[in-house]
């Protein structure tokens, strides 16, 4: 093993380094510029993330470990890093005018966003339980702060506090699980755990089993699976909408990246055990998420419950523990990121100062007043409901057919039924937008399409909507990359 | 063979530009846009010859290669029959809509949905791949949703649109599940590949019955079979051309198409027979009876469509050559006359301002051409020779008389439905135009050419086809039937077969039908009373009950889980954690009591006792400060324990952390209001206590298990051996802190300083606030 050469090791964590340095520059710039002029901070954050994305894409296809095997860069980590950075860039576009409108401290906001992204990339590259834990904390702590940032509204600090306390709890459980696992197999390195797992299983080692159980609880919290989901609606509703958008896709994807690496790949010898637990968690999440979303009046809360249901769909694919299943999960996460960001983008565009206008009834007659936003929202809602020919259908199709292929027919049937339930609340938004007349005197963020809320929002909406339609019609392209992301890893299964 | 692709996708393309076409030529947009369906009709007409000779046309390319999904199209006898119905009636309906909605601001959008529907429907009947079929299937549901809800100002239209989408969309998903399972059994999602393998693999599979139910759920919801028929009458909220096109002639027949298409795979199974014959028979009778109750022209037609769809399902279920031919012939007959009747109903509404049959009468003078069109269609519906409807009815009678099982029952059901059809045909197509002129909300006037050309053509075709039934029968029906039956059929269609039982039944039907028409008022009251009595258990009520039940459940779940109280949330998280870990520990793992007896020294016992007292105080106390201090005592106790067991560095860190925590707590709690007791009731307190005890129990079990673990040689001996040789230090503790674990120490210092800065910040914040007024 020996000590890695430093430049080679640093090249492995190049995206993280770029993000971290950008975050520091952003923080420093914040001190230099007046509160009213935060454009430089935004630009630095944007181009820093872009550079990190470019660096990730440039290293597509390479496979390397560094820092005594604490981190590992391979196509899987690159695939996830692309999701995080893509989400980060779109979030930045969505944030620019929103941050100004809501009077959030811009410099801190962008810095925290960048640090959180750094943690996520670490999570994707984690090759050791210690890196997993550190990555999760680096990602989570900035998000706790971001959630509580909108101090004007009483909901935001409350949401932040709830998220912090419950999140801290989940972290402690996760850490305890790691400790137990270490006690059982004497290592925190994922490759070694994989090697030791069959022996520990044979001996029915209580520490090993309990450790894995606690790990599942910790990760279930991060991706908000039922019954670890309670924080989700409160936090999503209270947080600034741009932060909600970021959390609902990036934090979730990061949680799944760890779940795939640690549980599905490194603990594959005990697939029989965890796939049972996954089965139940998936069913509970799909049922509760979709059913409760039916009665939500606040669109952020509705999307929060919908995000719980979508975590359930991803878990359906992972329950199989097969290559097809992971492949489906990767595709799903990518597509989900685009459609959910888009939906929140419309929420930002429609809302007014002080996060007003986030009730579903505020969308009444939007097709008349804002035909283009309504059209974009229609694409996102159809996609979230899984209606062909949008990408959402492709994602669900991959996930459910993976389940059927692996013999989990009932799981797929429940999933399909629950998607049907979900159609009800997604289409409700459409009905409200297209089939009701706008109320007299209803306010919208003024001006012809897009101007006051900023070009960034409009651009990101169109990027998301067009990608969803593109991927819905030509999914082969994404499927190909997801396939490459799994190359060499699935021999572990 | 790219023609088939062009045929399907040109509709989508034109749909996308339809609003602009409308904007350029608002008066003539119907005629302009109708040129595409007209061209497509011509294109499919050109295929009649080759297909009648047994050819089939294919086209396909790879769509999602990873899952082996191809976008493949197949044009054979069955698809051709449907394609001609879709494009032919489509042409007339597009022209009609231009006139019907003249001046409507959203006409462009309407045309876009209509063309989108046409293209999707062509996709359904042409797809050879199960997934492609499903995708187009859902697109038809979706366009139907938009078209029903087109008149969106009315709440009834919105509710009907949603109901139709929920029922057919859910059915579509069931269909997809069934098709996927079939794909798994056959190893291919290509329908023609499945057909080539035959019904053997499917029928011998243990999943056969679930697959059958799933596929039929798709077909029955789409084709409005009992008990899913409720959405179709409500869908009459849509404008008349939509009712004529989607909800009479084409879309509702998609389910029938599906049953016909997969028939070779399922036929022969008793389940298939009884499900189709049972559901079809019930739907046929129920629809016809309910049609008699209604007074609105369109709702009468809707229920009679339900009845006709039941007839089709029943006939396909009989699974004889004659019955299949009868089904396909009737499909064509029904498409022609029902489309025409809906369009004339729209024209009457347009011209006279009412659709209530009780208010309409004597319109023949004011609307002669419409009256002619309606009369032609109504006579075909009543099955009067020489109309095509007569041929259809004759073949139906021949088919039910040839049924292998329950012949008497099926024949009497068909007789009953048909005689009601005679009456309904007279009520909707003849009655409004004859007799004395009645007072209508609007002075009646003839409809413009756009509105009468469609129904008149359809009616005329119905007459022409009746005069030369052989040509129609041979070219369409037999080719289509041979696809459904998976073998060649040769029957002669003609208007007159000589005197036989079927003709006798026809005479009975007509005579009884006239009687029913004469006695329609008392009959309708009787039916209304029965259906009113059955309403509380009917499927319409069931739909709302399910909808309300789901929403009620959702509210309940939200109340329980999403109370907003943090302690409740924590309770759930802890409960699951303990459950999950506890379950694995006690049922999966081998737990054992540690072998070595623990030697407890007296001061250790004393320390633990102090900690216990402190913990209890923390629970009991109502004052925050006391709680914080009690918790601090527990923490310091833990540090002392670390010290006793020879881990001074750990103890040091713990003491520092405890100190900081207590300070932070005090600083923050000082500013908070008094403790609010959340769990007031004894039950809640008991629950809290049991969760706490369970957590403690789990931790104890884990700690006891962990005690046994000894991985490496004890680290302490390593330090004592190497502290001098490697680090040149005599004080082992010092060496550990600054050398062996130097980085740890650095980390701890950093953490502590960061926490210190935080505390300082808090203090400053507090003093800052204090100074402010």
């Amino acid at each position: 093993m020996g000590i890695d050469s430093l430049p080679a090791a640093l090249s492995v964590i190049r995206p993280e380094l770029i993000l971290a340095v950008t975050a520091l520059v952003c923080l420093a710039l914040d001190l230099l510029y007046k509160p009213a002029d935060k454009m430089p901070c935004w630009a630095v954050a944007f181009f820093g993330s872009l550079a990190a994305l470019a660096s990730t894409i440039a290293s597509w296809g390479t496979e390397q470990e560094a820092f005594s095997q604490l981190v590992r860069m391979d196509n899987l980590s690159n695939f996830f890093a692309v999701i995080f950075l893509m989400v980060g860039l779109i979030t930045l576009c969505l944030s620019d005018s929103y941050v100004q409108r809501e009077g959030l401290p811009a410099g801190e906001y962008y810095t925290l966003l960048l640090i959180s992204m750094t943690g996520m990339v670490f999570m994707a590259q984690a090759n050791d339980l210690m890196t997993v834990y550190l990555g999760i904390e680096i990602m989570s702590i900035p998000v706790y702060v971001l959630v509580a940032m909108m101090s004007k509204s009483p909901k935001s600090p409350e949401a932040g506090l709830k998220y912090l306390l419950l999140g801290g709890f989940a972290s402690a459980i996760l850490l305890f699980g790691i400790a137990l696992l270490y006690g059982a197999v004497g290592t925190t390195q994922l490759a070694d755990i994989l090697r030791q797992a069959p022996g520990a299983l044979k001996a029915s080692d209580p520490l090993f089993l309990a450790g894995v159980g606690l790990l599942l609880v910790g990760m279930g919290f991060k991706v908000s699976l039922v019954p670890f989901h309670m924080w989700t609606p409160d936090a999503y509703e209270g947080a600034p909408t741009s932060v909600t958008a970021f959390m609902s896709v990036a934090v979730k994807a990061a949680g799944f990246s760890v779940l795939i690496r640690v549980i599905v790949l490194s603990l594959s010898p005990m697939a029989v055990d965890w796939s049972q637990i996954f089965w139940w968690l998936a069913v509970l999440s799909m049922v509760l998420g979709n059913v409760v979303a039916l009665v939500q009046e606040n669109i952020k809360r509705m999307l929060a419950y919908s995000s719980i249901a979508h975590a359930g769909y991803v878990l359906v694919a992972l329950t199989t523990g097969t290559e097809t299943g992971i492949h489906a999960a990767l595709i799903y996460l990518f597509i989900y990121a685009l459609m959910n960001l888009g939906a929140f983008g419309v929420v930002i565009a429609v809302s007014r100062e002080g996060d007003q206008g986030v009730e579903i009834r505020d969308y009444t007659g939007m097709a008349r007043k804002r035909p283009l936003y309504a059209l974009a929202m229609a694409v996102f809602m159809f996609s979230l409901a899984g209606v062909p020919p949008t990408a959402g259908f492709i994602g669900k199709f991959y996930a459910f057919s993976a389940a059927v292929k692996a013999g989990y027919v009932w799981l797929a049937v429940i999933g399909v039924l629950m998607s049907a339930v979900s159609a009800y609340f997604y289409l409700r938004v459409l009905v409200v937008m297209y089939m009701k007349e706008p109320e007299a005197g209803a306010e919208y963020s003024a001006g012809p399409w897009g101007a006051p809320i900023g070009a960034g929002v409009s651009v990101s909406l169109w990027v998301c909507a067009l990608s969803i339609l593109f991927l819905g019609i030509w999914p082969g392209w994404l499927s190909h990359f997801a396939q490459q992301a799994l190359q060499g890893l699935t021999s572990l299964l | 063979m790219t023609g088939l692709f062009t045929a399907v996708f040109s509709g989508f393309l034109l749909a996308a530009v339809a609003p602009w076409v409308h904007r350029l030529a608002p008066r003539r947009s119907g005629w302009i846009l109708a040129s595409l369906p007209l061209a497509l009709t011509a294109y499919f007409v050109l295929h009649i010859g080759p297909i009648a000779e047994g050819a089939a046309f294919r086209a396909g390319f790879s769509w999602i290669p990873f899952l082996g999904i191809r976008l493949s199209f197949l044009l054979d006898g069955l698809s051709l029959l449907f394609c001609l119905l879709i494009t032919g009636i489509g042409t007339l309906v597009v022209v009609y809509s231009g006139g019907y909605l003249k001046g409507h601001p959203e006409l462009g959008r309407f045309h876009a949905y209509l063309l989108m529907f046409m293209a999707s429907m062509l996709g359904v009947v042409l797809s050879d791949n199960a997934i492609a079929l499903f995708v187009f299937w859902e697109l038809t549901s979706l366009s139907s949703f938009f078209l029903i809800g087109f008149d969106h100002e009315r709440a009834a239209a919105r509710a009907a649109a949603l109901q139709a989408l929920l029922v057919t969309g859910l059915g579509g998903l069931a269909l997809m599940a069934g098709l996927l399972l079939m794909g798994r059994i056959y190893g291919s999602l290509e329908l023609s590949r499945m057909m080539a393998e035959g019904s053997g693999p499917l029928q011998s599979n243990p999943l056969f019955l679930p697959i059958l139910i799933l596929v039929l759920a798709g077909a029955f919801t789409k084709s409005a079979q009992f008990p899913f028929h409720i959405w179709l009458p409500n869908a009459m909220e849509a404008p008349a051309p939509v009712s004529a096109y989607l909800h009479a002639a084409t879309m509702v027949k998609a389910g029938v198409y599906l049953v016909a298409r997969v028939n070779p795979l399922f036929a022969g199974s008793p389940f298939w027979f009884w499900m189709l014959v049972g559901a079809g028979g019930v739907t046929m009778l129920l629809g016809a009876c309910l049609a008699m109750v209604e007074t609105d022209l369109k709702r009468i037609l809707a229920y009679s469509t339900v009845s006709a769809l039941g007839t089709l399902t029943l006939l396909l279920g009989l699974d004889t050559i004659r019955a299949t031919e009868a089904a396909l012939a009737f499909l064509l007959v029904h498409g022609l006359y029902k489309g025409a009747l809906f369009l004339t109903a729209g024209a009457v509404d347009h011209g006279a301002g009412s659709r209530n049959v009780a208010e309409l009468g004597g319109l023949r003078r004011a609307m002669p051409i419409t009256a002619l069109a309606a009369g032609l269609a109504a006579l075909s519906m009543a099955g009067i020779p020489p109309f095509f409807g007569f041929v259809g009815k004759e073949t139906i009678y021949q088919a039910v008389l040839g049924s292998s099982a329950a012949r008497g029952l099926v024949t009497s059901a068909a007789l009953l439905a048909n005689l009601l059809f005679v009456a309904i045909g007279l009520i909707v197509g003849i009655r409004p135009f004859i007799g004395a002129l009645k007072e209508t909300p609007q002075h009646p006037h003839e409809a413009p050419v756009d509105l009468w050309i469609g129904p008149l053509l359809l009616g005329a075709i119905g007459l022409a086809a009746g005069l030369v039934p052989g040509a129609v029968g041979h070219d369409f029906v037999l080719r289509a039937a041979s696809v459904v039956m998976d073998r060649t059929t040769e029957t002669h269609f003609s208007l007159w077969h000589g005197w036989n039982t079927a003709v006798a039944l026809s005479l009975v039907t007509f005579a009884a039908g006239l009687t029913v028409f004469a006695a329609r008022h008392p009959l309708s009251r009787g039916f209304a009373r029965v259906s009113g009595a059955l309403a509380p258990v009917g499927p319409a009520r069931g739909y709302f009950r399910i909808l309300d039940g789901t929403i009620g459940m959702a509210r309940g779940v939200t109340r329980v889980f999403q109370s907003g109280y943090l302690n409740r949330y924590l309770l759930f998280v802890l409960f699951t954690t303990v459950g999950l870990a506890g379950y694995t520990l006690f049922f999966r793992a081998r737990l054992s009591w540690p072998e070595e007896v623990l030697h407890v020294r007296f001061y250790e016992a004393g320390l633990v006792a102090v900690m216990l007292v402190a913990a209890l105080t923390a629970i009991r106390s109502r004052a925050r400060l006391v709680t914080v201090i009690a918790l601090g005592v527990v923490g310091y106790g833990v540090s002392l324990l670390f010290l006793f067991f020879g881990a001074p560095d750990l103890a040091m860190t713990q003491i520092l952390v405890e100190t900081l925590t207590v300070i932070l707590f005090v600083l923050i709690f000082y500013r908070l209001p008094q403790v609010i007791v959340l769990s007031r009731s004894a039950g809640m307190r008991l629950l809290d206590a049991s969760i706490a005890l369970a957590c403690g129990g789990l931790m104890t079990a884990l700690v006891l298990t962990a005690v046994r673990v000894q991985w490496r040689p004890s680290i302490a001996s390593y330090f004592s051996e190497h502290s001098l040789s490697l680090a040149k230090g005599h004080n082992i503790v010092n060496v550990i802190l600054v050398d062996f674990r130097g980085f740890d120490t650095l980390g701890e210092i950093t953490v502590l300083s960061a926490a210190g800065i935080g505390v300082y910040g808090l203090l400053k914040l507090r003093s800052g606030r204090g100074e402010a007024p």
Side-chain angles (χ1 to χ4, degrees), chain B residues 546-605:
Chain B
I546 292 173
L547 213 59
D548 294 345
T550 317
I551 295 203
M553 185 172 89
R555 287 193 205 289
V557 172
T558 317
R559 249 196 320 277
V560 173
F561 281 95
Q562 217 62 52
S563 55
Y565 291 123
L566 194 61
N567 67 333
R568 199 71 59 80
Y569 295 178
L570 263 180
L571 209 69
F572 281 111
V573 174
L574 284 177
F575 186 77
T576 326
T577 312
V578 173
L580 210 64
Y583 174 80
T584 26
L585 272 188
F586 291 105
F587 293 97
R588 287 275 290 110
R590 289 192 206 130
L591 270 187
S592 56
W593 196 251
E595 287 130 33
E596 71 270 40
V597 184
L598 300 168
H599 301 286
V600 182
R601 283 162 286 192
F602 74 96
Y603 52 87
E604 285 166 11

Side-chain angles (χ1 to χ4, degrees), chain A residues 162 183 230 234 273 473 483, chain B residues 63 66 562 564 569 588 711:
Chain A
K162 274 182 183 164
M230 281 85 169
D234 293 355
D273 296 277
I473 297 167
Q483 193 78 49
Chain B
W63 182 23
F66 180 75
Q562 217 62 52
Y569 295 178
R588 287 275 290 110
W711 269 102

Side-chain angles (χ1 to χ4, degrees), chain A residues 158 161-162 165-166 169 173 176 180 182-186 196 201-207 209-210 213-214 216-217 221 227-231 233-234 273 277 288 291-292 294-296 301 305 324 327 368 382 387-389 393-394 397-398 400-401 404-405 407 409 413 416-417 419-421 423-424 427 431 434-437 472-476 479 483, chain B residues 61 63-67 69 106 109 113 131 134-136 138-139 142 145-146 149-150 152-153 157-158 161-162 165-166 169-170 173-174 176-177 180-181 184 189 207 214 543 547 550-555 557-558 561-562 564-566 568-570 572-574 576-577 580-581 583-585 588-592 698-699 702-703 705-706 708-709 711-712:
Chain A
E158 182 191 328
L161 189 66
K162 274 182 183 164
L165 287 177
L166 286 171
F169 214 82
I173 293 176
F176 198 56
L180 291 182
Y182 176 76
V185 293
Q196 307 262 16
L201 275 177
K202 215 172 194 176
S204 287
D205 188 339
L207 286 186
L209 294 173
L214 295 181
L216 279 178
V217 172
F221 180 88
F228 314 111
H229 68 284
M230 281 85 169
W231 58 273
D234 293 355
D273 296 277
I277 300 175
L288 191 129
V291 168
V292 175
L294 290 174
V295 290
Q296 301 307 319
R301 276 187 99 80
Y305 281 106
T324 333
H327 178 252
R368 285 282 167 77
F382 277 134
V387 175
F393 166 68
I394 300 292
F397 184 74
Y398 272 99
F400 294 151
S401 49
V404 171
K405 218 175 190 173
V409 175
V413 169
V416 167
L417 278 179
S419 322
V421 171
Y424 186 87
L427 292 178
V431 171
Y434 275 93
M435 300 192 178
K436 290 192 179 170
E437 289 300 306
I473 297 167
W474 289 282
S479 167
Q483 193 78 49
Chain B
F61 74 94
W63 182 23
I64 311 179
F66 180 75
L67 295 172
I69 295 178
E106 308 267 353
R109 200 150 63 92
Y113 294 146
I131 298 307
F134 163 75
V135 171
F136 287 119
E138 291 297 54
L139 280 175
L142 209 62
F145 167 76
F146 283 121
F150 181 71
H152 50 66
E153 255 110 277
R158 294 197 299 266
L162 195 60
L165 186 64
L166 283 179
L170 247 165
L173 288 172
M176 177 168 89
L180 278 181
L181 287 172
R184 218 172 132 227
L189 286 163
L207 283 174
L214 286 171
Y543 167 80
L547 213 59
T550 317
I551 295 203
M553 185 172 89
R555 287 193 205 289
V557 172
T558 317
F561 281 95
Q562 217 62 52
Y565 291 123
L566 194 61
R568 199 71 59 80
Y569 295 178
L570 263 180
F572 281 111
V573 174
L574 284 177
T576 326
T577 312
L580 210 64
Y583 174 80
T584 26
L585 272 188
R588 287 275 290 110
R590 289 192 206 130
L591 270 187
S592 56
L698 179 71
M699 286 300 155
L702 285 175
V703 167
T705 328
R708 291 183 304 144
V709 174
W711 269 102
R712 309 252 153 85

Side-chain angles (χ1 to χ4, degrees), chain A residues 11 22 25 54 77 100 117 120 156 161 194 197 204 234 241 269 273-274 279 295 306-307 440 448 459 487:
Chain A
S11 80
T22 314
V25 173
S77 78
Q100 279 178 28
M117 277 150 68
M120 288 174 188
S156 174
L161 189 66
L194 178 66
S204 287
D234 293 355
T241 311
D273 296 277
W274 54 250
W279 198 98
V295 290
S306 122
S307 86
V459 169
Q487 251 162 27

Side-chain angles (χ1 to χ4, degrees), chain B residues 455-472:
Chain B
L456 191 64
L457 265 174
L458 289 175
I461 294 170
L463 179 61
L467 291 172
V468 281
V472 181

Side-chain angles (χ1 to χ4, degrees), chain A residues 39-57:
Chain A
M39 198 54 202
C41 287
W42 184 87
V44 164
F46 185 84
F47 288 106
S49 311
L50 202 62
L53 182 64
S55 144
T56 310
I57 291 173

Side-chain angles (χ1 to χ4, degrees), chain B residues 377-411:
Chain B
L379 292 177
S380 190
M381 179 175 182
I384 312 290
F387 286 90
F388 197 31
F390 175 71
V391 182
K393 195 175 54 178
E394 288 294 282
T395 45
I396 290 176
Y397 280 141
Q398 282 167 16
V400 291
L401 286 169
S403 159
S404 53
R407 183 186 306 162
L409 199 65
V410 173
T411 308

